[in-house]
Amino acid sequence: MKWLTLVIKYRLWLGIALLALAIFTNVQAGFWPSFVLYLAAVVLIVGHFVFGPMRLIQECMETGDMEAAKKVLSSIWFPALLIKPIRSVYYTVKGNLDMVDQNYEGAEANLKKSQELMGDGTGLMGSQMKQAEGANKLQLGMLAMQKGDNKQAESYIRGAIRSGLPDKENEAAAYLQLSSIMINKREFRAGKEYFRKAKGLKPTTQQIKDQIKQMEKYITRMPG
């Protein structure tokens, strides 16, 4: 739907142009002939500030064009005006981009902001929000592990699994991280169990497959 992408990309400027046209029509022909133009202008301008260009950012993230994603994200001048679910996604994306730039402090701050905005929700949107919450907690857990805070990491990752994760790749990553934490705590039986769960999901992501192969070399020699 290329036309929709173009509308979202230029929504604000289209709204401003329609507003100017509406004012001109109002002066020349009166209010009612300009009413539809006013309405369209308001919908476009309000939509820009309330919903933002998140569809454009999603397309950039899916294609791996992080620079384009940053550019689109910077076009959101007033994130506080975004509706709550969109604002949560906004901070999640900011956190992900910070992680790409290895700005871990910024990533943690933005992911926590996103986490605070996520409610319980109901229905399909609630289910999607819970999965997003799970993925968010998993990232926070991984950040905590990088900082050496295994206690906080374990809390986040367990919370991620409880909330639900969007796919088996994320689930496998969560169980692998828990396995590593348990092994570091010398709780070898639990570590092995989480490793088996991760392996049983049969992830296809190469990085996760490599981690499983590396752990498999020594985990069978552990007691428990």
Side-chain angles (χ1 to χ4, degrees), residues 192-210:
K192 286 182 175 182
E193 180 60 29
Y194 288 128
F195 176 78
R196 281 193 290 270
K197 286 184 178 182
K199 187 177 178 181
L201 288 165
K202 298 180 181 178
T204 57
T205 303
Q206 191 59 48
Q207 184 180 5
I208 298 175
K209 288 168 67 177
D210 290 342

Side-chain angles (χ1 to χ4, degrees), residues 106-144:
E108 185 176 12
N110 283 312
L111 289 170
K112 283 182 176 178
K113 285 181 182 178
S114 175
Q115 196 70 40
E116 289 169 3
L117 290 164
M118 290 179 179
D120 292 334
T122 56
L124 179 58
M125 179 59 74
S127 175
Q128 291 173 340
M129 288 294 287
K130 290 296 285 184
Q131 287 186 347
E133 183 180 358
N136 206 327
K137 286 179 178 177
L138 177 58
Q139 288 180 314
L140 284 168
M142 290 180 173
L143 284 170

